[in-house]
Amino acid sequence: MVDPERELRIRFAEEAHRRCSAINSALTMVELGQGPAQGLLDIRIEAHTLKGTAAVLGLEEVSEQAARAERLLVEAGEAGALDPGIAAEIQQATAAIQDQTRAAAAEDDPA
């Protein structure tokens, strides 16, 4: 039987993967000119949700990376353009989120 806290971390890792994929897909659409940069303001809710859920689960590093991604998505959306450097930083943050949530899901007791 899986520990209930570990089960939550496993489910969160799955959710994080889906949400990070949505963020990265939105970035790609904007980079390819198939969507407006202002649309990144809409997708920032994915990062915002990850930030809050990670905080509730005690995954501070994940929450910090999600906050970073959210801040950068807002910055790009408000600027109306996606700077390649900002896109790379967002992708680094989503990669870190996915790595850290997978690691947390694999741990028996992260504390």
Side-chain angles (χ1 to χ4, degrees):
M1 183 169 159
V2 176
D3 169 30
E5 287 184 30
R6 183 165 184 219
E7 179 65 28
L8 286 173
R9 293 191 310 270
I10 290 168
R11 288 179 188 250
F12 180 60
E14 294 166 355
E15 175 187 346
H17 177 75
R18 286 190 302 276
R19 291 185 185 277
C20 287
S21 293
I23 292 168
N24 290 328
S25 292
L27 287 176
T28 299
M29 297 296 284
V30 172
E31 288 175 317
L32 295 175
Q34 297 177 356
Q38 290 85 356
L40 297 175
L41 289 172
D42 296 331
I43 199 71
R44 70 138 186 99
I45 193 68
E46 302 294 345
H48 181 80
T49 301
L50 287 170
K51 177 181 71 175
T53 306
V56 168
L57 293 175
L59 302 173
E60 286 184 40
E61 290 180 31
V62 174
S63 185
E64 289 170 9
Q65 290 294 333
R68 178 175 163 227
E70 179 183 22
R71 192 171 48 253
L72 292 166
L73 286 164
V74 169
E75 182 181 319
E78 288 177 347
L82 181 60
D83 177 90
I86 289 178
E89 284 189 59
I90 295 168
Q91 290 168 334
Q92 289 171 354
T94 59
I97 290 166
Q98 290 179 310
D99 290 346
Q100 292 167 0
T101 56
R102 274 193 297 267
E107 291 178 4
D108 288 328
D109 183 7

